[in-house]
Amino acid sequence: MTIAVTKSRVEDKLYQNRYLVDPGRPHITVRPHERPSANLLALTHVCPAKCYELNDKGQVEITPDGCMECGTCRILCETNGEIEWNYPRGGFGVLFKFG
């Protein structure tokens, strides 16, 4: 008996989700900073949707489109005030295909 093992990537699974953008009303914002803290820099690596990245000035920026609303950024940065996080308005945000 042969068992077929299929490998799937996180990116392939994320592709199944849909995201309804709320133009001009992002649910997450990064507060202005000159140099990012270690936690803010960590978001560029640990955010599962890869929403955070460094810009040319060495500051962390967010593109909230595609955010999975998992709360990783809230745990790392909301308590120290580096980000402002709110739930998206009703009907907007991530739409999980498989529940």
Side-chain angles (χ1 to χ4, degrees):
M1 181 167 140
T2 304
I3 298 174
V5 177
T6 58
K7 293 184 179 182
S8 60
R9 300 175 327 136
V10 171
E11 291 83 5
D12 296 335
K13 297 294 183 184
L14 290 176
Y15 179 75
Q16 300 295 321
N17 297 332
R18 296 293 176 250
Y19 192 87
L20 187 57
V21 176
D22 191 358
R25 297 183 72 171
H27 71 285
I28 305 172
T29 56
V30 176
R31 298 247 167 93
H33 57 279
E34 290 184 25
R35 289 185 356 180
S37 70
N39 282 357
L40 201 51
L41 277 174
L43 288 178
T44 64
H45 300 289
V46 299
C47 174
K50 306 288 186 224
C51 293
Y52 294 86
E53 59 184 25
L54 282 174
N55 65 17
D56 296 339
K57 298 176 185 176
Q59 299 169 330
V60 175
E61 293 181 334
I62 182 168
T63 305
D65 305 353
C67 172
M68 295 173 27
E69 300 167 29
C70 67
T72 301
C73 58
R74 291 181 76 183
I75 292 168
L76 283 175
C77 295
E78 189 177 41
T79 56
N80 59 12
E82 292 180 298
I83 66 165
E84 186 175 330
W85 196 101
N86 296 296
Y87 285 103
R89 288 189 312 150
F92 293 95
V94 68
L95 307 168
F96 293 106
K97 185 172 182 177
F98 297 111

